[in-house]
Amino acid sequence: MLIQYGWSPELQDQFQRHAAQGLIPGRLVVQQRGGYRLITEDGEIEGRASGTFLKSASDEERPTAGDWVAIEARPGETTALVHAVLPRTSAFIRRSVRGGAQVIAANVDTAFLVASLNSDLNLRRLERYLATAFESGAAPVIVLTKADLMEDIAAAVAEVETIASGAPVLTVSSKTGVGLEGIAAHLPPGRTAVLLGSSGAGKSTLLNALAGEERMDTGAIREADERGRHTTTHRELVLLPSGGLILDTPGMRELGLWEADAGVATVFDDVEALASQCRFSDCSHVKEPGCAIRAAVESGVLPEARLRAYEKLQGELAHERRREDPRAAQENKKLWASRHKAARAWMKQKRRGPED
């Protein structure tokens, strides 16, 4: 049973010390507010985290969908206790609305970043998802759904590919079945994928099409703004007939970045390459002479909107660092003071004109 859900010799080695304590392995397949549903070698069982574990674990360390855990199945009781989470191979993490980290999915091999081919298709949102996916350790794949509603699919794909950073861009119609084989190619037996995207993007409909049955509730999008309502209210890992595993997640209205510096650098490698060519290492890319980024924007090589998106994500990351580290806040204050000083000197020199 566990092998179908991705259990491996490597996981077995990691579990030895827990086995010595009389615990058994399981994978968390459903995560709800009231508890978990776990798959074990003997089948499914309800579970909850032990009080001792909850006291010692941070929000980021607590069990989430996709996690492999060490559990105590107590005779005569219907709910098992989760005592530990095995080391994760990947973790899709966002900034919680309450502050701190929230793990959305763990131990996934592929992150399907789902967006609908309607007026809600947003390149800036996809860049944000891509940055988080690259940071997670999973391989991102952009999936554009509802292809049956789009006339010029090639143009939409070409536009998305400009910001995809090498991630595959697939189109699919869950209604007609066109493109499903491309999705399935990323889901061989034992491989785990997660569906991530906004409400109404078609994640649950896509999962149902891959499963060949109605596993998840679906809902129509609003005609006024072509955005969807939340239909998935929990995270669930589904074993597909093909042997692949796919994790559905509720639609996210907002995806706040969490320690995603490497992910942002990967998605905006073109902007970072230009920044390295600026005359000043602390260039703010506003008015400094010798700014390669401003030159690229003015020449049309770098779209202004992409630069603004990069700066926004960098600003979010810097804000989180300052919240977590007072020293980082002080360094940021010094950095901006030096930038303002340089800008004032440049403006003063400009007003004086070239020296004789």
Side-chain angles (χ1 to χ4, degrees), residues 28-196:
L28 201 156
V29 293
V30 175
Q31 181 182 6
Q32 296 174 314
R33 290 183 179 179
Y36 320 121
R37 190 185 309 153
L38 307 160
I39 195 77
T40 71
E41 194 60 49
D42 296 323
E44 289 191 1
I45 189 171
E46 300 297 316
R48 62 181 176 83
S50 71
T52 301
F53 178 53
L54 288 178
K55 288 180 181 178
S56 62
S58 66
D59 288 345
E60 192 173 344
E61 295 168 336
R62 294 187 177 189
T64 194
D67 267 328
W68 289 100
V69 295
I71 61 178
E72 176 189 357
R74 299 176 293 175
E77 297 192 23
T78 58
T79 302
L81 285 181
V82 176
H83 287 278
V85 174
L86 271 62
R88 294 163 174 154
T89 57
S90 66
F92 194 95
I93 306 174
R94 73 169 177 176
R95 176 174 46 80
S96 170
V97 293
R98 305 187 312 272
Q102 180 186 19
V103 184
I104 303 299
N107 300 312
V108 297
D109 304 294
T110 302
F112 288 133
L113 312 180
V114 185
S116 174
L117 283 168
N118 59 17
S119 61
D120 196 38
L121 180 61
N122 188 311
L123 297 186
R124 306 288 80 87
R125 185 187 301 133
L126 279 174
E127 287 168 340
R128 183 178 292 269
Y129 274 89
L130 276 166
T132 306
F134 278 119
E135 191 75 27
S136 76
V141 175
I142 297 175
V143 178
L144 304 178
T145 61
K146 305 179 184 180
D148 54 294
L149 303 179
M150 171 67 67
E151 292 185 2
D152 194 350
I153 295 177
V157 170
E159 184 180 25
V160 172
E161 284 178 338
T162 63
I163 57 93
S165 300
V169 180
L170 308 179
T171 60
V172 63
S173 169
S174 300
K175 181 178 180 180
T176 66
V178 174
L180 284 177
E181 68 283 352
I183 308 295
H186 291 273
L187 282 167
R191 192 170 180 87
T192 302
V194 62
L195 295 169
L196 298 157

Side-chain angles (χ1 to χ4, degrees), residues 50-348:
S50 71
T52 301
F53 178 53
L54 288 178
K55 288 180 181 178
S56 62
S58 66
D59 288 345
E60 192 173 344
E61 295 168 336
R62 294 187 177 189
T64 194
D67 267 328
W68 289 100
V69 295
I71 61 178
E72 176 189 357
R74 299 176 293 175
E77 297 192 23
T78 58
T79 302
L81 285 181
V82 176
H83 287 278
V85 174
L86 271 62
R88 294 163 174 154
T89 57
S90 66
F92 194 95
I93 306 174
R94 73 169 177 176
R95 176 174 46 80
S96 170
V97 293
R98 305 187 312 272
Q102 180 186 19
V103 184
I104 303 299
N107 300 312
V108 297
D109 304 294
T110 302
F112 288 133
L113 312 180
V114 185
S116 174
L117 283 168
N118 59 17
S119 61
D120 196 38
L121 180 61
N122 188 311
L123 297 186
R124 306 288 80 87
R125 185 187 301 133
L126 279 174
E127 287 168 340
R128 183 178 292 269
Y129 274 89
L130 276 166
T132 306
F134 278 119
E135 191 75 27
S136 76
V141 175
I142 297 175
V143 178
L144 304 178
T145 61
K146 305 179 184 180
D148 54 294
L149 303 179
M150 171 67 67
E151 292 185 2
D152 194 350
I153 295 177
V157 170
E159 184 180 25
V160 172
E161 284 178 338
T162 63
I163 57 93
S165 300
V169 180
L170 308 179
T171 60
V172 63
S173 169
S174 300
K175 181 178 180 180
T176 66
V178 174
L180 284 177
E181 68 283 352
I183 308 295
H186 291 273
L187 282 167
R191 192 170 180 87
T192 302
V194 62
L195 295 169
L196 298 157
S198 303
S199 298
K203 301 186 302 298
S204 296
T205 303
L206 176 58
L207 190 152
N208 290 338
L210 291 167
E213 60 179 340
E214 296 293 313
R215 293 296 301 265
M216 295 292 177
D217 291 335
T218 59
I221 61 173
R222 298 189 296 260
E223 292 184 3
D225 57 10
E226 292 190 319
R227 294 187 179 183
R229 301 176 179 88
H230 290 288
T231 52
T232 300
T233 57
H234 62 279
R235 303 183 191 110
E236 181 169 352
L237 183 64
V238 175
L239 177 63
L240 300 175
S242 65
L245 296 141
I246 194 160
L247 175 60
D248 194 16
T249 63
M252 289 182 278
R253 290 190 178 93
E254 181 181 352
L255 177 63
L257 297 184
W258 181 261
E259 296 183 354
D261 297 82
V264 171
T266 300
V267 174
F268 292 92
D269 57 349
D270 56 335
V271 181
E272 298 228 332
L274 287 168
S276 68
Q277 300 172 27
C278 290
R279 181 182 301 178
F280 303 108
S281 60
D282 61 347
C283 183
S284 65
H285 317 305
V286 180
K287 292 183 177 180
E288 292 93 336
C291 176
I293 284 183
R294 292 311 314 172
V297 170
E298 291 166 7
S299 66
V301 172
L302 177 66
E304 179 83 27
R306 183 160 169 82
L307 174 59
R308 295 281 82 83
Y310 171 74
E311 292 176 334
K312 182 178 181 179
L313 298 189
Q314 287 287 8
E316 283 186 30
L317 293 172
H319 176 69
E320 283 303 314
R321 284 193 293 271
R322 293 194 297 274
R323 286 181 57 181
E324 298 295 322
D325 183 2
R327 182 179 297 178
Q330 186 63 28
E331 290 299 321
N332 181 75
K333 186 176 181 180
K334 292 180 180 178
L335 172 63
W336 282 103
S338 67
R339 285 182 173 177
H340 292 319
K341 182 178 180 181
R344 288 195 300 270
W346 179 75
M347 289 298 295
K348 183 177 181 180

